[in-house]
Amino acid sequence: KKGFIKAELIRYVRNSSTVEAFETMVRKFFFRLRQRGYPPRLLLYIFSQVRYADRQKYLESSVSLRDNQILPFVTDFNPVWE
């Protein structure tokens, strides 16, 4: 239940170029969830965990590969492929 809400909030942070746009989306999302019956205390707790101020953290890639890291692709030879 909480995971998809937090993921959606992070998506709003990443996709919003201004604080105002983020806050507008968050307000709309909050009211839609309330209309579906989610308790306000739960929503306030989850919403407090995602802040626009942390936008840079959310924009950075979560996968760190070394620049020179090579991922080999090994397959069997098949003469039909030639």
Side-chain angles (χ1 to χ4, degrees):
K1 234 179 193 182
K2 295 189 288 188
F4 96 89
I5 296 172
K6 189 171 181 179
E8 191 70 6
L9 290 170
I10 291 171
R11 190 174 75 82
Y12 291 150
V13 170
R14 294 178 67 178
N15 292 343
S16 300
S17 54
T18 65
V19 176
E20 292 80 16
F22 169 70
E23 289 173 351
T24 299
M25 290 305 298
V26 165
R27 227 179 346 270
K28 289 178 181 180
F29 187 46
F30 183 87
F31 288 118
R32 281 186 296 233
L33 292 172
R34 284 293 298 129
Q35 288 175 340
R36 293 181 187 171
Y38 284 85
R41 287 183 70 197
L42 173 68
L43 293 177
L44 291 172
Y45 172 73
I46 298 169
F47 278 52
S48 70
Q49 296 176 358
V50 179
R51 300 177 323 132
Y52 189 83
D54 298 329
R55 185 170 191 253
Q56 190 59 43
K57 176 179 79 173
Y58 296 127
L59 290 173
E60 293 172 0
S61 175
S62 61
V63 177
S64 61
L65 293 176
R66 287 178 265 150
D67 291 335
N68 61 353
Q69 187 175 9
I70 298 173
L71 300 173
F73 177 71
V74 180
T75 182
D76 293 328
F77 175 74
N78 187 336
V80 174
W81 294 339
E82 281 191 5

